[in-house]
Amino acid sequence: MKREFPIIETRSLILREVIIEDAKDMFKYLSDKDVVKPMGLVPCQTVEDVWDEIRWYKSIYEEGTGIRWGITLKNSGKVIGSCGFLNMLTKHYRAEVGYELSKDYWGKGIASEALEAVVKYGYRHFQLERIEALIEPANLPSQKLVEKQGFRREGLLRHYEFTCGKFDDLYMYSIIKEDLTLI
């Protein structure tokens, strides 16, 4: 039986399932090196490359290892980024959160609004105890974003990922359920 994909509505956003028809809108930001570099991805060269990302979103949802929502503004419906969970381990009540946003919308509070909604959804609907964010040391805006949401930096994971032909150090951030009551 196919599960209904959840929709999250916030003050100014609708977070929804991404579909193949969104590929053209997603290409705008997934082809931008400034957007995808912190994700450890090579910029998409064609709209067809975006289809692989959409198929990955679908596969993690179907496998129960994650969920990725497309970020849309209420007044447009166009996908301008995504936010969601990956590497979800229900047995351990934890998941990693990831996100990206079209450069046109940086600095407007959109990523913060989406991340807050996704984190709350994870605690309410997936009974998560811990949510992690892995962030490159040079990505100061992303570090500020998660810290504003109550995440704490736990340490540096040296050579944690191999992406784009090199090893990357990543800061480990986390927020646990009881931290939300402190915010």
Side-chain angles (χ1 to χ4, degrees), residues 5-163:
F5 195 95
I7 294 171
I8 302 173
E9 190 170 336
T10 69
R11 186 178 40 76
S12 58
L13 305 173
I14 293 180
L15 307 180
R16 63 162 174 85
E17 183 174 18
V18 169
I19 54 176
I20 289 292
E21 289 77 14
D22 294 315
K24 190 174 173 197
D25 293 333
M26 295 170 67
F27 179 73
K28 179 173 173 36
Y29 62 86
L30 290 176
S31 62
D32 184 332
K33 67 176 175 28
D34 293 334
V35 173
V36 299
K37 183 188 175 296
M39 301 163 62
L41 298 177
V42 174
C44 292
Q45 301 299 308
T46 66
V47 171
E48 290 78 20
D49 292 343
V50 178
W51 296 351
D52 289 337
E53 189 75 0
I54 294 170
R55 280 191 284 273
W56 178 69
Y57 294 176
K58 187 173 178 59
S59 74
I60 63 172
Y61 182 65
E62 289 173 353
E63 295 162 4
T65 60
I67 183 170
R68 196 76 166 207
W69 286 272
I71 301 171
T72 68
L73 297 174
K74 278 186 177 176
N75 61 3
S76 92
K78 182 176 86 166
V79 176
I80 59 170
S82 79
C83 186
F85 299 114
L86 61 152
N87 299 325
M88 194 180 298
L89 296 169
T90 53
K91 172 181 157 186
H92 296 294
Y93 301 89
R94 79 170 180 251
E96 180 184 337
V97 71
Y99 44 83
E100 81 282 332
L101 190 62
S102 175
K103 211 184 315 182
D104 296 344
Y105 300 94
W106 287 4
K108 299 180 188 312
I110 293 170
S112 184
E113 188 174 332
L115 180 60
E116 179 181 7
V118 165
V119 165
K120 286 180 177 172
Y121 190 94
Y123 288 124
R124 286 188 192 120
H125 298 277
F126 297 129
Q127 284 70 50
L128 295 174
E129 175 61 26
R130 174 186 169 89
I131 298 172
E132 301 170 344
L134 299 172
I135 303 172
E136 291 182 339
N139 191 346
L140 297 176
S142 194
Q143 291 173 47
K144 286 179 184 167
L145 172 65
V146 298
E147 287 169 358
K148 182 180 169 191
Q149 295 295 328
F151 283 72
R152 297 181 191 172
R153 186 188 305 173
E154 296 182 333
L156 180 68
L157 303 171
R158 301 178 325 141
H159 287 209
Y160 191 72
E161 287 183 341
F162 185 79
T163 60

